Short mmCIF file of all heavy atoms in Angstrom, two decimals:
data_model
loop_
_atom_site.label_atom_id
_atom_site.label_comp_id
_atom_site.label_asym_id
_atom_site.label_seq_id
_atom_site.Cartn_x
_atom_site.Cartn_y
_atom_site.Cartn_z
N GLY A 1 11.60 13.33 100.83
CA GLY A 1 11.10 13.88 99.53
C GLY A 1 11.49 15.37 99.50
O GLY A 1 11.91 15.86 98.33
N LEU A 2 11.46 16.11 100.55
CA LEU A 2 11.84 17.52 100.58
C LEU A 2 13.43 17.58 100.33
O LEU A 2 13.89 18.47 99.71
CB LEU A 2 11.51 18.12 101.97
CG LEU A 2 9.98 18.36 102.22
CD1 LEU A 2 9.89 18.97 103.55
CD2 LEU A 2 9.47 19.28 101.10
N LYS A 3 14.18 16.70 101.01
CA LYS A 3 15.63 16.67 100.85
C LYS A 3 16.03 16.49 99.36
O LYS A 3 16.88 17.16 98.76
CB LYS A 3 16.31 15.58 101.71
CG LYS A 3 16.36 15.89 103.16
CD LYS A 3 17.44 15.01 103.89
CE LYS A 3 16.92 13.54 103.92
NZ LYS A 3 17.88 12.66 104.64
N GLU A 4 15.31 15.54 98.65
CA GLU A 4 15.61 15.25 97.21
C GLU A 4 15.25 16.52 96.42
O GLU A 4 15.96 16.92 95.56
CB GLU A 4 14.83 14.04 96.82
CG GLU A 4 14.81 13.87 95.31
CD GLU A 4 16.20 13.51 94.85
OE1 GLU A 4 17.11 13.10 95.57
OE2 GLU A 4 16.42 13.83 93.59
N ALA A 5 14.16 17.22 96.78
CA ALA A 5 13.70 18.37 96.04
C ALA A 5 14.72 19.55 96.22
O ALA A 5 14.95 20.34 95.31
CB ALA A 5 12.34 18.82 96.38
N ALA A 6 15.30 19.58 97.43
CA ALA A 6 16.27 20.70 97.78
C ALA A 6 17.64 20.31 97.05
O ALA A 6 18.28 21.30 96.61
CB ALA A 6 16.38 20.86 99.22
N GLN A 7 18.05 19.18 97.09
CA GLN A 7 19.37 18.80 96.65
C GLN A 7 19.44 18.11 95.21
O GLN A 7 20.53 18.16 94.70
CB GLN A 7 20.02 17.71 97.58
CG GLN A 7 20.14 18.22 99.03
CD GLN A 7 20.73 17.11 99.87
OE1 GLN A 7 20.04 16.23 100.43
NE2 GLN A 7 22.03 17.13 100.14
N GLY A 8 18.42 17.64 94.74
CA GLY A 8 18.43 16.98 93.46
C GLY A 8 18.38 17.82 92.24
O GLY A 8 18.36 19.09 92.31
N PRO A 9 18.13 17.14 91.10
CA PRO A 9 18.04 17.98 89.84
C PRO A 9 16.81 18.77 89.93
O PRO A 9 15.77 18.52 90.53
CB PRO A 9 17.82 16.82 88.80
CG PRO A 9 18.42 15.56 89.42
CD PRO A 9 18.20 15.78 90.90
N GLY A 10 16.79 19.90 89.30
CA GLY A 10 15.68 20.81 89.19
C GLY A 10 16.16 22.25 88.93
O GLY A 10 17.24 22.48 88.73
N LYS A 11 15.11 23.10 89.08
CA LYS A 11 15.37 24.51 88.75
C LYS A 11 16.31 25.09 89.75
O LYS A 11 16.15 24.97 91.04
CB LYS A 11 14.05 25.27 88.80
CG LYS A 11 14.17 26.82 88.45
CD LYS A 11 12.75 27.39 88.50
CE LYS A 11 12.84 28.95 88.28
NZ LYS A 11 11.49 29.58 88.35
N GLY A 12 17.33 25.88 89.31
CA GLY A 12 18.29 26.54 90.27
C GLY A 12 19.40 25.66 90.65
O GLY A 12 19.40 24.48 90.29
N ARG A 13 20.30 26.18 91.55
CA ARG A 13 21.37 25.42 91.94
C ARG A 13 20.87 24.44 93.14
O ARG A 13 20.17 24.86 94.00
CB ARG A 13 22.48 26.26 92.43
CG ARG A 13 22.97 27.40 91.55
CD ARG A 13 23.83 28.38 92.27
NE ARG A 13 24.35 29.39 91.36
CZ ARG A 13 23.71 30.44 91.11
NH1 ARG A 13 22.49 30.70 91.63
NH2 ARG A 13 24.34 31.49 90.28
N PRO A 14 21.44 23.15 93.14
CA PRO A 14 21.00 22.32 94.23
C PRO A 14 21.56 22.95 95.51
O PRO A 14 22.69 23.51 95.56
CB PRO A 14 21.70 20.99 93.84
CG PRO A 14 21.89 21.11 92.42
CD PRO A 14 22.06 22.52 92.05
N ALA A 15 20.70 22.77 96.58
CA ALA A 15 21.15 23.29 97.89
C ALA A 15 22.21 22.24 98.46
O ALA A 15 22.23 21.14 98.15
CB ALA A 15 19.95 23.28 98.87
N ILE A 16 23.14 22.78 99.24
CA ILE A 16 24.17 22.01 100.01
C ILE A 16 23.75 21.80 101.34
O ILE A 16 23.40 22.74 102.22
CB ILE A 16 25.51 22.71 99.87
CG1 ILE A 16 25.89 22.89 98.42
CG2 ILE A 16 26.49 21.97 100.62
CD1 ILE A 16 27.28 23.65 98.27
N LEU A 17 23.66 20.51 101.81
CA LEU A 17 23.01 19.98 103.03
C LEU A 17 24.33 19.56 103.89
O LEU A 17 24.97 18.63 103.47
CB LEU A 17 22.03 19.09 103.03
CG LEU A 17 21.68 18.38 104.31
CD1 LEU A 17 21.07 19.45 105.26
CD2 LEU A 17 20.57 17.35 104.09
N HIS A 18 24.66 20.20 105.04
CA HIS A 18 25.72 19.74 105.91
C HIS A 18 25.17 19.07 107.06
O HIS A 18 24.42 19.82 107.91
CB HIS A 18 26.49 21.02 106.45
CG HIS A 18 27.23 21.83 105.26
ND1 HIS A 18 28.35 21.50 104.61
CD2 HIS A 18 26.70 23.03 104.67
CE1 HIS A 18 28.59 22.44 103.65
NE2 HIS A 18 27.61 23.29 103.67
N LYS A 19 25.31 17.83 107.26
CA LYS A 19 24.79 17.08 108.33
C LYS A 19 25.69 17.18 109.45
O LYS A 19 26.97 17.41 109.28
CB LYS A 19 24.48 15.62 107.98
CG LYS A 19 23.43 15.49 106.77
CD LYS A 19 23.34 13.95 106.38
CE LYS A 19 22.40 13.83 105.19
NZ LYS A 19 22.23 12.41 104.83
N ALA A 20 25.30 16.78 110.69
CA ALA A 20 26.18 16.77 111.89
C ALA A 20 26.98 17.97 111.98
O ALA A 20 28.19 17.99 112.27
CB ALA A 20 27.05 15.53 111.82
N SER A 21 26.31 19.17 111.62
CA SER A 21 27.03 20.39 111.70
C SER A 21 26.35 21.36 112.61
O SER A 21 25.41 22.08 112.35
CB SER A 21 27.08 21.09 110.33
OG SER A 21 27.86 20.29 109.37
N LYS A 22 26.78 21.23 113.98
CA LYS A 22 26.13 21.98 114.93
C LYS A 22 26.44 23.39 114.98
O LYS A 22 27.66 23.90 114.90
CB LYS A 22 26.46 21.45 116.34
CG LYS A 22 25.72 22.05 117.49
CD LYS A 22 26.09 21.38 118.87
CE LYS A 22 25.34 22.20 119.94
NZ LYS A 22 25.79 21.63 121.37
N VAL A 23 25.44 24.31 114.90
CA VAL A 23 25.79 25.75 114.90
C VAL A 23 25.66 26.26 116.37
O VAL A 23 24.83 26.02 117.06
CB VAL A 23 24.57 26.49 114.11
CG1 VAL A 23 24.81 28.04 114.21
CG2 VAL A 23 24.69 26.11 112.63
N VAL A 24 26.77 26.92 116.73
CA VAL A 24 26.92 27.50 118.10
C VAL A 24 26.77 28.83 118.35
O VAL A 24 26.46 29.38 119.41
CB VAL A 24 28.26 27.02 118.80
CG1 VAL A 24 28.32 25.42 118.85
CG2 VAL A 24 29.30 27.52 117.98
N ASP A 25 26.73 29.63 117.14
CA ASP A 25 26.53 31.04 117.20
C ASP A 25 26.11 31.56 115.86
O ASP A 25 26.45 31.04 114.75
CB ASP A 25 27.75 31.76 117.62
CG ASP A 25 27.44 33.27 118.13
OD1 ASP A 25 26.34 33.57 118.38
OD2 ASP A 25 28.28 33.98 118.33
N VAL A 26 25.33 32.61 115.83
CA VAL A 26 25.04 33.30 114.60
C VAL A 26 25.12 34.82 114.65
O VAL A 26 25.09 35.35 115.79
CB VAL A 26 23.64 33.04 114.11
CG1 VAL A 26 23.41 31.50 113.80
CG2 VAL A 26 22.58 33.44 115.14
N ASP A 27 25.37 35.56 113.65
CA ASP A 27 25.35 36.92 113.67
C ASP A 27 24.40 37.55 112.71
O ASP A 27 24.61 37.44 111.43
CB ASP A 27 26.89 37.44 113.30
CG ASP A 27 26.97 38.95 113.46
OD1 ASP A 27 25.94 39.77 113.31
OD2 ASP A 27 27.93 39.50 113.94
N PRO A 28 23.16 38.07 113.15
CA PRO A 28 22.18 38.61 112.23
C PRO A 28 22.65 39.78 111.38
O PRO A 28 22.02 39.95 110.22
CB PRO A 28 21.09 39.04 113.14
CG PRO A 28 21.41 38.40 114.54
CD PRO A 28 22.83 38.27 114.53
N HIS A 29 23.67 40.47 111.78
CA HIS A 29 24.06 41.67 111.02
C HIS A 29 25.14 41.25 109.88
O HIS A 29 25.06 41.97 108.86
CB HIS A 29 24.61 42.69 111.98
CG HIS A 29 23.74 43.08 113.14
ND1 HIS A 29 22.57 43.82 112.79
CD2 HIS A 29 23.74 42.74 114.37
CE1 HIS A 29 21.91 43.95 114.15
NE2 HIS A 29 22.47 43.29 114.98
#
């Protein structure tokens, strides 16, 4: 239900969900 609310029709742009996308590093700055 949360995935549908994030990606489906509704207020604002639908979020884009990337599955099987392992993050190995981030840069907070």
Side-chain angles (χ1 to χ4, degrees):
L2 291 178
K3 282 196 294 182
E4 173 60 26
Q7 297 179 275
K11 183 180 179 182
R13 305 171 179 86
I16 297 175
L17 173 58
H18 302 281
K19 302 177 184 178
S21 297
K22 182 179 180 181
V23 175
V24 297
D25 196 15
V26 298
D27 188 326
H29 307 287

